[in-house]
Amino acid sequence: DKTPPQLLIIFGASGDLTERKLIPALFSLYEEKYLPKNFAVLGISRSDSDDGSFRDQVVLQNKHIPETVKNHGLRKSFAEKVFYFDLGDSYDVDYSALNERIEALDKAQKTAGNYIFYLSTPPSLYEIIARNLNKAGLTSDNGGWTRLIVEKPFGYDLASAHELNDNLQKYFQESQIYRIDHYLGKETVQNLLVTRFANSIFEPLWNRNYIRHVEITNAESVGVGKRGGYYDKSGALRDMFQNHLLQIVSLVVMEPPIGSEPEEIRNEKVKALKSLRIMDDPETLHKNTIRGQYLAGESNGEPVIGYRQEEGVDPNSKTETYAALKFYVDNWRWAGVPFYVRTAKRMPTKVTEVVIHFKTPHHQIFRNSMVQNKDNKLIIRIQPNEGILVKFGVKVPGQGFEVERANLDFYYSELADQKIMEAYERLLLDAMQGDATLYARADEVEAAWEFVDPIVKFWQTDPNAVTFGYSAGMWGPKNADELIEGEYTWRNPGE
Ligand code: BG6
């Protein structure tokens, strides 16, 4: 009963996030009995709809809610907790009618004046909505508490993120603002903290003395689909790297927090992000950053079109669907350890993983072995097949000292009795309980932009910044292979 009664108010409720992620997550929480008894959802948008048709669309007929025998009856009872309010033509209107609706619902559903406003609208509307909520008296104490959840993208660059933070903080306290990054809701992303700080076998090695380099891959097999219009103005660096990947980086890099309180963890993450060495000279940017764009090719055995042919994409677009970076972290722990991070669409498979490459043993004894166990690896698989894998050398049975690579692995699927919560379930539940650990703080978002800004600017303005082509279904442009020096290259899982 850690979750108090409350009303969740979703702005932009006719958008596909509500149907695809939010309602299915809430339904699953309901099914698993995590929702408080007194709970309701109010969807708001500019479509001419009503309670009945909204319930039908997002609950009763929603194909993103898996159909099981068990949940058939539950859908109906859950649907009765879902309501709709038509805001009219614009989000920039007087919210007093909305206020009345909210108060009436609050009374009828006994939600104790506790409100979460979830902004699932284009970011250009965040300030407008916050301002009008404030004007209507909805951001102040209504006998309960008020929270605001905002979706990404949070800003377009450092300046716009800063401005957005300023604007939201005019109407909400920082402690009321929850900036969502759904990667933080993924079980294995959180497990990075546990792996590092709840064991004594990894952390002593987690530094420049033992780690040669860190590699992070985030690959998707899908293309941009119907989101070409949005994506072409954004690109992989803004769409994935600034948020999801830098969140993962910060968890790999951060120092141990004093405790597990949200602010303790977030303070360390900000420090981690601030220690990334900013690359702002053309020479380094040229050497350490690679962007690519998918050309026509194959995906899962089917022919697919190239990025420039996608709907909503400029036929001369230089926007990257592939980004690979090499960078350093300037602090005591990581001095001199290169980080290689890549994210892309239209790769051969969908996979996200962190690979910690340990250094070669200082003195090689088994020199004649076919396999030099040069590289002990710790692989943290974020998705799919969530788990952890350690690769190390073992002796091949028989004469002499032949060394072979062996795996020690753990997969979450082996915990058969534990259902892994979907990212949105976990994050929504946390916000309902007032736990902001897995949400990005203002300074965190800005520190991430600070690192990303000069790269975006370089790619956009430098005449020598090339966008390399790669065939859909391949592991990105050839040039990216050379980013990792020495005898190493990217680990392409599944290859
Ligand atoms: C979103 C991006 O934030 O994350 C999408 O906007 C991307 O472009 C998606 O496809 C990937 O999320 P996941 O959870 O499928 O890895």
Side-chain angles (χ1 to χ4, degrees), residues 390-406:
V390 183
K391 290 196 180 259
F392 65 112
V394 294
K395 183 184 171 306
V396 179
Q399 279 188 307
F401 284 102
E402 281 300 320
V403 180
E404 196 173 64
R405 221 55 82 66

Side-chain angles (χ1 to χ4, degrees), residues 181-238:
D181 186 308
H182 81 278
Y183 267 56
L184 286 174
K186 292 184 193 276
E187 199 60 50
T188 30
V189 172
Q190 298 157 40
N191 190 43
L192 264 165
L193 286 178
V194 175
T195 304
R196 290 191 55 195
F197 304 131
N199 292 299
S200 58
I201 54 174
F202 299 116
E203 197 51 24
L205 306 182
W206 209 265
N207 59 57
R208 63 185 308 256
N209 296 326
Y210 297 98
I211 295 178
R212 184 193 181 275
H213 68 276
V214 176
E215 178 185 350
I216 302 177
T217 289
N218 169 271
E220 291 183 274
S221 52
V222 294
V224 292
K226 294 204 174 75
R227 297 161 74 227
Y230 147 78
Y231 194 91
D232 205 35
K233 290 194 202 67
S234 166
L237 215 52
R238 288 194 179 99

Side-chain angles (χ1 to χ4, degrees), residues 21 152 182-183 186 218 220 222-223 227 230-231 239-240 243-244 345 350 352 383:
K21 295 285 184 192
K152 66 161 264 242
H182 81 278
Y183 267 56
K186 292 184 193 276
N218 169 271
E220 291 183 274
V222 294
R227 297 161 74 227
Y230 147 78
Y231 194 91
D239 183 52
M240 293 294 297
N243 36 69
H244 308 323
K345 297 210 185 281
K350 179 175 170 82
T352 304
Q383 61 188 19

Side-chain angles (χ1 to χ4, degrees), residues 298-314:
E298 266 193 17
S299 178
N300 300 322
E302 298 287 320
V304 293
I305 55 174
Y307 175 70
R308 290 184 183 179
Q309 285 82 55
E310 299 276 12
E311 192 190 315
V313 171
D314 174 358

